[in-house]
Amino acid sequence: MPIRQTFSKPDIQLSYLEWNQGQEPLLLLHGLADHALVWSSLGDELSSDYHIVAPDMRGHGESGKPERDYSFESAIADLEALMDSLGWSATHVVAHSWTGKLAVIWARINPQRLRSIVLVDPIFIWKIPSFFKLTFPLLYQFLSFLKGMGPFASYESAQQQARLLNQFQGWSPLQQQVFQASIEQKSDGTWGSKFTITARDRIFEEVMLSPGFTTPIHIPTLFVQPEKGLNRKDWQLQPYKTNLKNLRVCQVPGNHWPFLTQPEAFNQTVKAFLQEHRY
């Protein structure tokens, strides 16, 4: 089982899960509105071979929730400071959804810190014109996974909504644990996500307005394409195929959250890729 740890920077406190059996560094990065516990199945599967750290990204889970600064640069600085505290010069990275874009930007800025990358159904690698920012409040209403943020009158009503969300299809013990760890009772008695509105707005804006690819990237990369995920068309994969010069694409069962909905197949896919790129 992983151990919950805390790392403090001058500007933020980061909470993370650590599997400390193996030696080779592996960083697991969750998607928007999620938290480190989504990786518990993968972490358990790989823990004998890797020293694994899964942080709650800033604004999420048990980590600090600043009012400002949710830039990719700040998130990358968090991760590099955490790596330095662990004595890691470089690491393998598994990144889901918005942190998939973060991993690409990180690989572009500081490629020496990444040994390999696993992109799990990443979102929106392009950059949109700034005037589209006006449409973001409408998008928040249609992104189903954000419907789990609340507020809810009771824990039971929050759970009822959660069971309708794609990431909790099947309502397995793992999914129940992830839900329970994602929610808290607020000061007014209502229930809602530990993920904050400020983090949602700032991260969403950063994802939409920041370019992903600007130069070719040569780090070994696996693109995990769930059969019911967001990236189903060739035109969606083309920017990755063009800019990632050492890329493999692998399909897995499940939806945008294959590590929660089909963890066995997902774990084996990631494990096989990482084994090829171990030191």
Short mmCIF file of all heavy atoms in Angstrom, two decimals, residues 157-211:
data_model
loop_
_atom_site.label_atom_id
_atom_site.label_comp_id
_atom_site.label_asym_id
_atom_site.label_seq_id
_atom_site.Cartn_x
_atom_site.Cartn_y
_atom_site.Cartn_z
N SER A 157 -26.46 12.31 -1.82
CA SER A 157 -26.78 12.90 -3.13
C SER A 157 -25.53 13.06 -3.97
O SER A 157 -25.56 12.90 -5.20
CB SER A 157 -27.50 14.23 -2.96
OG SER A 157 -26.70 15.16 -2.25
N ALA A 158 -24.38 13.36 -3.34
CA ALA A 158 -23.12 13.43 -4.07
C ALA A 158 -22.76 12.06 -4.63
O ALA A 158 -22.31 11.95 -5.79
CB ALA A 158 -22.01 13.94 -3.15
N GLN A 159 -22.94 11.01 -3.84
CA GLN A 159 -22.65 9.66 -4.30
C GLN A 159 -23.58 9.24 -5.42
O GLN A 159 -23.16 8.60 -6.40
CB GLN A 159 -22.75 8.68 -3.14
CG GLN A 159 -22.47 7.24 -3.54
CD GLN A 159 -22.47 6.31 -2.35
OE1 GLN A 159 -21.49 6.17 -1.65
NE2 GLN A 159 -23.61 5.66 -2.11
N GLN A 160 -24.83 9.63 -5.32
CA GLN A 160 -25.80 9.31 -6.38
C GLN A 160 -25.38 9.92 -7.71
O GLN A 160 -25.45 9.28 -8.76
CB GLN A 160 -27.18 9.80 -5.97
CG GLN A 160 -28.29 9.43 -6.94
CD GLN A 160 -29.66 9.88 -6.46
OE1 GLN A 160 -29.78 10.71 -5.55
NE2 GLN A 160 -30.71 9.35 -7.06
N GLN A 161 -24.91 11.18 -7.67
CA GLN A 161 -24.43 11.83 -8.90
C GLN A 161 -23.17 11.16 -9.40
O GLN A 161 -23.01 10.93 -10.61
CB GLN A 161 -24.17 13.31 -8.62
CG GLN A 161 -23.53 14.06 -9.77
CD GLN A 161 -24.39 14.12 -11.01
OE1 GLN A 161 -25.54 14.54 -10.95
NE2 GLN A 161 -23.85 13.69 -12.15
N ALA A 162 -22.27 10.82 -8.49
CA ALA A 162 -20.99 10.21 -8.89
C ALA A 162 -21.21 8.91 -9.65
O ALA A 162 -20.49 8.62 -10.62
CB ALA A 162 -20.12 9.97 -7.66
N ARG A 163 -22.18 8.13 -9.25
CA ARG A 163 -22.40 6.83 -9.89
C ARG A 163 -22.89 6.96 -11.32
O ARG A 163 -22.89 5.99 -12.08
CB ARG A 163 -23.38 6.00 -9.06
CG ARG A 163 -22.84 5.65 -7.69
CD ARG A 163 -23.71 4.68 -6.94
NE ARG A 163 -23.74 3.36 -7.59
CZ ARG A 163 -24.19 2.26 -7.00
NH1 ARG A 163 -24.66 2.30 -5.77
NH2 ARG A 163 -24.19 1.11 -7.66
N LEU A 164 -23.28 8.18 -11.73
CA LEU A 164 -23.70 8.44 -13.10
C LEU A 164 -22.53 8.88 -13.99
O LEU A 164 -22.68 8.94 -15.21
CB LEU A 164 -24.79 9.52 -13.14
CG LEU A 164 -26.07 9.22 -12.35
CD1 LEU A 164 -26.99 10.45 -12.40
CD2 LEU A 164 -26.77 7.99 -12.90
N LEU A 165 -21.39 9.17 -13.38
CA LEU A 165 -20.25 9.71 -14.13
C LEU A 165 -19.45 8.59 -14.79
O LEU A 165 -19.36 7.48 -14.27
CB LEU A 165 -19.35 10.51 -13.20
CG LEU A 165 -20.02 11.69 -12.47
CD1 LEU A 165 -19.02 12.38 -11.56
CD2 LEU A 165 -20.63 12.67 -13.46
N ASN A 166 -18.84 8.92 -15.92
CA ASN A 166 -18.13 7.90 -16.71
C ASN A 166 -16.98 7.25 -15.95
O ASN A 166 -16.73 6.06 -16.10
CB ASN A 166 -17.59 8.53 -18.00
CG ASN A 166 -18.68 8.85 -18.99
OD1 ASN A 166 -19.75 8.25 -18.95
ND2 ASN A 166 -18.44 9.79 -19.88
N GLN A 167 -16.27 8.03 -15.14
CA GLN A 167 -15.11 7.45 -14.45
C GLN A 167 -15.50 6.44 -13.38
O GLN A 167 -14.66 5.67 -12.91
CB GLN A 167 -14.24 8.54 -13.83
CG GLN A 167 -14.89 9.37 -12.72
CD GLN A 167 -15.45 10.66 -13.25
OE1 GLN A 167 -16.15 10.68 -14.26
NE2 GLN A 167 -15.18 11.74 -12.55
N PHE A 168 -16.79 6.41 -13.01
CA PHE A 168 -17.23 5.49 -11.97
C PHE A 168 -18.16 4.40 -12.52
O PHE A 168 -18.87 3.75 -11.75
CB PHE A 168 -17.91 6.26 -10.84
CG PHE A 168 -17.00 7.23 -10.15
CD1 PHE A 168 -17.35 8.57 -10.00
CD2 PHE A 168 -15.77 6.83 -9.66
CE1 PHE A 168 -16.52 9.47 -9.37
CE2 PHE A 168 -14.92 7.72 -9.01
CZ PHE A 168 -15.29 9.05 -8.88
N GLN A 169 -18.14 4.20 -13.83
CA GLN A 169 -18.94 3.12 -14.41
C GLN A 169 -18.48 1.78 -13.84
O GLN A 169 -17.30 1.43 -13.94
CB GLN A 169 -18.80 3.12 -15.93
CG GLN A 169 -19.55 4.25 -16.61
CD GLN A 169 -19.43 4.18 -18.13
OE1 GLN A 169 -18.83 3.25 -18.67
NE2 GLN A 169 -19.98 5.16 -18.81
N GLY A 170 -19.40 1.03 -13.27
CA GLY A 170 -19.09 -0.24 -12.64
C GLY A 170 -19.07 -0.15 -11.13
O GLY A 170 -19.32 -1.13 -10.43
N TRP A 171 -18.74 1.04 -10.59
CA TRP A 171 -18.76 1.30 -9.14
C TRP A 171 -18.00 0.22 -8.37
O TRP A 171 -18.47 -0.36 -7.41
CB TRP A 171 -20.18 1.44 -8.63
CG TRP A 171 -20.31 2.19 -7.33
CD1 TRP A 171 -20.88 1.71 -6.18
CD2 TRP A 171 -19.89 3.53 -7.04
NE1 TRP A 171 -20.83 2.66 -5.19
CE2 TRP A 171 -20.24 3.80 -5.69
CE3 TRP A 171 -19.25 4.53 -7.78
CZ2 TRP A 171 -19.96 5.01 -5.07
CZ3 TRP A 171 -18.98 5.73 -7.16
CH2 TRP A 171 -19.33 5.97 -5.83
N SER A 172 -16.77 -0.03 -8.83
CA SER A 172 -15.90 -1.02 -8.20
C SER A 172 -15.41 -0.48 -6.85
O SER A 172 -15.52 0.72 -6.56
CB SER A 172 -14.70 -1.30 -9.09
OG SER A 172 -13.86 -0.15 -9.17
N PRO A 173 -14.84 -1.35 -6.01
CA PRO A 173 -14.26 -0.85 -4.75
C PRO A 173 -13.21 0.24 -4.97
O PRO A 173 -13.15 1.21 -4.20
CB PRO A 173 -13.63 -2.12 -4.14
CG PRO A 173 -14.49 -3.23 -4.65
CD PRO A 173 -14.86 -2.83 -6.05
N LEU A 174 -12.40 0.12 -6.02
CA LEU A 174 -11.42 1.16 -6.33
C LEU A 174 -12.11 2.47 -6.65
O LEU A 174 -11.73 3.54 -6.13
CB LEU A 174 -10.55 0.73 -7.52
CG LEU A 174 -9.66 1.81 -8.15
CD1 LEU A 174 -8.69 2.38 -7.12
CD2 LEU A 174 -8.91 1.26 -9.37
N GLN A 175 -13.15 2.43 -7.48
CA GLN A 175 -13.87 3.65 -7.84
C GLN A 175 -14.54 4.28 -6.62
O GLN A 175 -14.56 5.51 -6.47
CB GLN A 175 -14.90 3.34 -8.92
CG GLN A 175 -14.26 2.99 -10.26
CD GLN A 175 -15.26 2.35 -11.22
OE1 GLN A 175 -16.13 1.58 -10.81
NE2 GLN A 175 -15.12 2.67 -12.49
N GLN A 176 -15.07 3.46 -5.73
CA GLN A 176 -15.68 3.98 -4.51
C GLN A 176 -14.65 4.68 -3.63
O GLN A 176 -14.92 5.74 -3.06
CB GLN A 176 -16.36 2.84 -3.75
CG GLN A 176 -17.57 2.27 -4.48
CD GLN A 176 -18.15 1.06 -3.76
OE1 GLN A 176 -18.43 1.11 -2.57
NE2 GLN A 176 -18.35 -0.03 -4.49
N GLN A 177 -13.46 4.11 -3.53
CA GLN A 177 -12.40 4.74 -2.75
C GLN A 177 -11.99 6.08 -3.35
O GLN A 177 -11.77 7.06 -2.63
CB GLN A 177 -11.18 3.81 -2.68
CG GLN A 177 -11.39 2.56 -1.86
CD GLN A 177 -10.22 1.60 -2.01
OE1 GLN A 177 -9.16 1.96 -2.53
NE2 GLN A 177 -10.41 0.36 -1.57
N VAL A 178 -11.89 6.12 -4.67
CA VAL A 178 -11.52 7.37 -5.35
C VAL A 178 -12.58 8.44 -5.10
O VAL A 178 -12.26 9.59 -4.79
CB VAL A 178 -11.34 7.12 -6.86
CG1 VAL A 178 -11.23 8.44 -7.62
CG2 VAL A 178 -10.11 6.26 -7.11
N PHE A 179 -13.85 8.06 -5.20
CA PHE A 179 -14.93 9.02 -4.93
C PHE A 179 -14.86 9.53 -3.50
O PHE A 179 -14.91 10.75 -3.25
CB PHE A 179 -16.29 8.39 -5.20
CG PHE A 179 -17.43 9.18 -4.59
CD1 PHE A 179 -17.79 10.41 -5.11
CD2 PHE A 179 -18.09 8.71 -3.45
CE1 PHE A 179 -18.81 11.16 -4.53
CE2 PHE A 179 -19.10 9.45 -2.87
CZ PHE A 179 -19.46 10.68 -3.41
N GLN A 180 -14.75 8.62 -2.55
CA GLN A 180 -14.75 9.01 -1.13
C GLN A 180 -13.62 9.97 -0.81
O GLN A 180 -13.77 10.88 0.00
CB GLN A 180 -14.67 7.76 -0.26
CG GLN A 180 -15.93 6.92 -0.28
CD GLN A 180 -15.71 5.52 0.27
OE1 GLN A 180 -14.64 5.18 0.76
NE2 GLN A 180 -16.75 4.68 0.18
N ALA A 181 -12.47 9.76 -1.46
CA ALA A 181 -11.30 10.62 -1.20
C ALA A 181 -11.38 11.96 -1.93
O ALA A 181 -10.58 12.85 -1.67
CB ALA A 181 -10.02 9.90 -1.60
N SER A 182 -12.34 12.10 -2.84
CA SER A 182 -12.42 13.31 -3.66
C SER A 182 -13.35 14.36 -3.08
O SER A 182 -13.37 15.49 -3.56
CB SER A 182 -12.90 12.96 -5.07
OG SER A 182 -14.28 12.60 -5.07
N ILE A 183 -14.11 14.01 -2.04
CA ILE A 183 -15.21 14.84 -1.59
C ILE A 183 -15.05 15.20 -0.12
O ILE A 183 -14.40 14.47 0.64
CB ILE A 183 -16.55 14.13 -1.87
CG1 ILE A 183 -17.71 15.11 -1.88
CG2 ILE A 183 -16.77 12.97 -0.92
CD1 ILE A 183 -18.98 14.54 -2.46
N GLU A 184 -15.63 16.32 0.26
CA GLU A 184 -15.56 16.76 1.65
C GLU A 184 -16.80 17.58 1.99
O GLU A 184 -17.48 18.11 1.10
CB GLU A 184 -14.30 17.61 1.87
CG GLU A 184 -14.29 18.90 1.08
CD GLU A 184 -12.99 19.68 1.21
OE1 GLU A 184 -12.08 19.20 1.92
OE2 GLU A 184 -12.88 20.76 0.61
N GLN A 185 -17.07 17.68 3.29
CA GLN A 185 -18.16 18.53 3.74
C GLN A 185 -17.65 19.96 3.92
O GLN A 185 -16.60 20.19 4.53
CB GLN A 185 -18.76 18.02 5.05
CG GLN A 185 -20.07 18.71 5.42
CD GLN A 185 -20.79 18.01 6.55
OE1 GLN A 185 -20.17 17.33 7.37
NE2 GLN A 185 -22.11 18.16 6.60
N LYS A 186 -18.38 20.92 3.37
CA LYS A 186 -17.97 22.31 3.42
C LYS A 186 -18.46 22.97 4.70
O LYS A 186 -19.24 22.41 5.47
CB LYS A 186 -18.52 23.05 2.19
CG LYS A 186 -18.18 22.40 0.85
CD LYS A 186 -16.68 22.36 0.58
CE LYS A 186 -16.38 21.77 -0.80
NZ LYS A 186 -14.94 21.76 -1.11
N SER A 187 -17.99 24.19 4.92
CA SER A 187 -18.33 24.91 6.16
C SER A 187 -19.82 25.19 6.30
O SER A 187 -20.33 25.33 7.41
CB SER A 187 -17.55 26.22 6.23
OG SER A 187 -17.84 27.05 5.11
N ASP A 188 -20.54 25.26 5.17
CA ASP A 188 -21.99 25.52 5.24
C ASP A 188 -22.82 24.24 5.34
O ASP A 188 -24.04 24.29 5.29
CB ASP A 188 -22.45 26.32 4.02
CG ASP A 188 -22.23 25.59 2.70
OD1 ASP A 188 -21.71 24.46 2.71
OD2 ASP A 188 -22.58 26.17 1.64
N GLY A 189 -22.15 23.09 5.46
CA GLY A 189 -22.85 21.83 5.62
C GLY A 189 -23.08 21.06 4.34
O GLY A 189 -23.44 19.89 4.38
N THR A 190 -22.87 21.69 3.19
CA THR A 190 -23.02 20.99 1.92
C THR A 190 -21.78 20.13 1.66
O THR A 190 -20.77 20.25 2.36
CB THR A 190 -23.21 21.98 0.76
OG1 THR A 190 -22.03 22.79 0.63
CG2 THR A 190 -24.43 22.86 1.00
N TRP A 191 -21.87 19.30 0.62
CA TRP A 191 -20.75 18.43 0.23
C TRP A 191 -20.29 18.82 -1.17
O TRP A 191 -21.11 19.21 -2.02
CB TRP A 191 -21.17 16.97 0.25
CG TRP A 191 -21.35 16.44 1.63
CD1 TRP A 191 -22.44 16.61 2.45
CD2 TRP A 191 -20.40 15.68 2.38
NE1 TRP A 191 -22.23 16.01 3.66
CE2 TRP A 191 -21.00 15.41 3.64
CE3 TRP A 191 -19.14 15.18 2.12
CZ2 TRP A 191 -20.34 14.69 4.63
CZ3 TRP A 191 -18.49 14.45 3.09
CH2 TRP A 191 -19.08 14.22 4.33
N GLY A 192 -19.00 18.71 -1.40
CA GLY A 192 -18.48 19.03 -2.72
C GLY A 192 -17.06 18.53 -2.89
O GLY A 192 -16.43 18.02 -1.96
N SER A 193 -16.56 18.69 -4.09
CA SER A 193 -15.22 18.22 -4.44
C SER A 193 -14.15 19.01 -3.70
O SER A 193 -14.30 20.20 -3.42
CB SER A 193 -15.01 18.34 -5.94
OG SER A 193 -13.69 18.03 -6.30
N LYS A 194 -13.02 18.35 -3.41
CA LYS A 194 -11.85 19.04 -2.89
C LYS A 194 -11.18 19.89 -3.97
O LYS A 194 -10.38 20.77 -3.66
CB LYS A 194 -10.85 18.03 -2.32
CG LYS A 194 -11.38 17.28 -1.10
CD LYS A 194 -10.40 16.22 -0.62
CE LYS A 194 -10.97 15.44 0.56
NZ LYS A 194 -10.06 14.36 1.01
N PHE A 195 -11.47 19.60 -5.22
CA PHE A 195 -10.99 20.39 -6.35
C PHE A 195 -11.74 21.72 -6.36
O PHE A 195 -12.96 21.76 -6.25
CB PHE A 195 -11.26 19.62 -7.64
CG PHE A 195 -10.84 20.30 -8.91
CD1 PHE A 195 -9.55 20.76 -9.08
CD2 PHE A 195 -11.74 20.45 -9.96
CE1 PHE A 195 -9.15 21.37 -10.26
CE2 PHE A 195 -11.36 21.06 -11.14
CZ PHE A 195 -10.06 21.51 -11.30
N THR A 196 -11.01 22.83 -6.47
CA THR A 196 -11.64 24.13 -6.30
C THR A 196 -12.09 24.75 -7.62
O THR A 196 -11.56 24.44 -8.68
CB THR A 196 -10.66 25.11 -5.61
OG1 THR A 196 -9.54 25.35 -6.49
CG2 THR A 196 -10.15 24.53 -4.29
N ILE A 197 -13.04 25.67 -7.52
CA ILE A 197 -13.53 26.40 -8.69
C ILE A 197 -12.40 27.22 -9.30
O ILE A 197 -12.24 27.29 -10.53
CB ILE A 197 -14.71 27.31 -8.31
CG1 ILE A 197 -15.90 26.46 -7.83
CG2 ILE A 197 -15.10 28.20 -9.47
CD1 ILE A 197 -16.52 25.60 -8.91
N THR A 198 -11.59 27.85 -8.45
CA THR A 198 -10.47 28.65 -8.96
C THR A 198 -9.51 27.79 -9.77
O THR A 198 -9.09 28.17 -10.87
CB THR A 198 -9.71 29.31 -7.80
OG1 THR A 198 -10.60 30.20 -7.10
CG2 THR A 198 -8.51 30.09 -8.30
N ALA A 199 -9.17 26.61 -9.24
CA ALA A 199 -8.28 25.71 -9.97
C ALA A 199 -8.90 25.28 -11.28
O ALA A 199 -8.21 25.23 -12.32
CB ALA A 199 -7.94 24.50 -9.11
N ARG A 200 -10.18 24.96 -11.26
CA ARG A 200 -10.87 24.57 -12.49
C ARG A 200 -10.75 25.64 -13.55
O ARG A 200 -10.36 25.39 -14.70
CB ARG A 200 -12.36 24.30 -12.20
CG ARG A 200 -13.18 23.91 -13.42
CD ARG A 200 -14.67 24.15 -13.19
NE ARG A 200 -14.97 25.57 -13.12
CZ ARG A 200 -16.19 26.06 -12.87
NH1 ARG A 200 -17.20 25.22 -12.63
NH2 ARG A 200 -16.40 27.37 -12.83
N ASP A 201 -11.09 26.88 -13.19
CA ASP A 201 -11.10 27.97 -14.16
C ASP A 201 -9.70 28.28 -14.69
O ASP A 201 -9.51 28.45 -15.90
CB ASP A 201 -11.70 29.22 -13.52
CG ASP A 201 -13.17 29.08 -13.19
OD1 ASP A 201 -13.78 28.07 -13.62
OD2 ASP A 201 -13.72 29.97 -12.50
N ARG A 202 -8.72 28.32 -13.78
CA ARG A 202 -7.37 28.71 -14.20
C ARG A 202 -6.70 27.61 -15.02
O ARG A 202 -6.02 27.90 -16.01
CB ARG A 202 -6.51 29.02 -12.97
CG ARG A 202 -7.06 30.14 -12.08
CD ARG A 202 -6.94 31.50 -12.73
NE ARG A 202 -7.55 32.53 -11.90
CZ ARG A 202 -6.90 33.55 -11.35
NH1 ARG A 202 -5.61 33.68 -11.55
NH2 ARG A 202 -7.54 34.44 -10.62
N ILE A 203 -6.87 26.35 -14.63
CA ILE A 203 -6.26 25.25 -15.37
C ILE A 203 -6.91 25.12 -16.74
O ILE A 203 -6.23 24.93 -17.76
CB ILE A 203 -6.34 23.94 -14.59
CG1 ILE A 203 -5.46 24.01 -13.34
CG2 ILE A 203 -5.91 22.76 -15.46
CD1 ILE A 203 -5.62 22.83 -12.40
N PHE A 204 -8.23 25.22 -16.79
CA PHE A 204 -8.94 25.10 -18.06
C PHE A 204 -8.48 26.18 -19.03
O PHE A 204 -8.23 25.91 -20.22
CB PHE A 204 -10.45 25.20 -17.81
CG PHE A 204 -11.29 24.69 -18.94
CD1 PHE A 204 -11.61 23.35 -19.04
CD2 PHE A 204 -11.76 25.55 -19.92
CE1 PHE A 204 -12.39 22.88 -20.09
CE2 PHE A 204 -12.54 25.10 -20.97
CZ PHE A 204 -12.85 23.76 -21.05
N GLU A 205 -8.33 27.40 -18.52
CA GLU A 205 -7.85 28.49 -19.37
C GLU A 205 -6.44 28.22 -19.85
O GLU A 205 -6.11 28.44 -21.03
CB GLU A 205 -7.89 29.80 -18.58
CG GLU A 205 -7.39 31.00 -19.34
CD GLU A 205 -7.48 32.29 -18.54
OE1 GLU A 205 -8.19 32.30 -17.51
OE2 GLU A 205 -6.84 33.28 -18.94
N GLU A 206 -5.58 27.71 -18.97
CA GLU A 206 -4.20 27.42 -19.34
C GLU A 206 -4.13 26.35 -20.42
O GLU A 206 -3.35 26.46 -21.37
CB GLU A 206 -3.44 26.97 -18.08
CG GLU A 206 -1.96 26.75 -18.30
CD GLU A 206 -1.15 28.03 -18.38
OE1 GLU A 206 -1.73 29.13 -18.31
OE2 GLU A 206 0.09 27.93 -18.53
N VAL A 207 -4.96 25.31 -20.28
CA VAL A 207 -4.97 24.23 -21.26
C VAL A 207 -5.41 24.74 -22.63
O VAL A 207 -4.82 24.40 -23.66
CB VAL A 207 -5.90 23.09 -20.81
CG1 VAL A 207 -6.14 22.09 -21.93
CG2 VAL A 207 -5.30 22.36 -19.60
N MET A 208 -6.42 25.58 -22.65
CA MET A 208 -6.97 26.05 -23.91
C MET A 208 -6.09 27.09 -24.62
O MET A 208 -6.07 27.15 -25.85
CB MET A 208 -8.37 26.63 -23.69
CG MET A 208 -9.40 25.59 -23.32
SD MET A 208 -9.68 24.41 -24.68
CE MET A 208 -10.97 23.40 -24.00
N LEU A 209 -5.37 27.88 -23.84
CA LEU A 209 -4.67 29.01 -24.43
C LEU A 209 -3.18 28.79 -24.59
O LEU A 209 -2.47 29.67 -25.10
CB LEU A 209 -4.92 30.27 -23.59
CG LEU A 209 -6.39 30.69 -23.45
CD1 LEU A 209 -6.50 31.97 -22.62
CD2 LEU A 209 -7.04 30.90 -24.81
N SER A 210 -2.66 27.63 -24.16
CA SER A 210 -1.23 27.35 -24.28
C SER A 210 -0.98 26.36 -25.40
O SER A 210 -1.65 25.33 -25.46
CB SER A 210 -0.68 26.78 -22.97
OG SER A 210 -0.87 27.67 -21.90
N PRO A 211 -0.02 26.62 -26.28
CA PRO A 211 0.30 25.65 -27.32
C PRO A 211 1.01 24.44 -26.72
O PRO A 211 1.82 24.57 -25.79
CB PRO A 211 1.23 26.42 -28.26
CG PRO A 211 1.87 27.44 -27.38
CD PRO A 211 0.84 27.81 -26.35
#
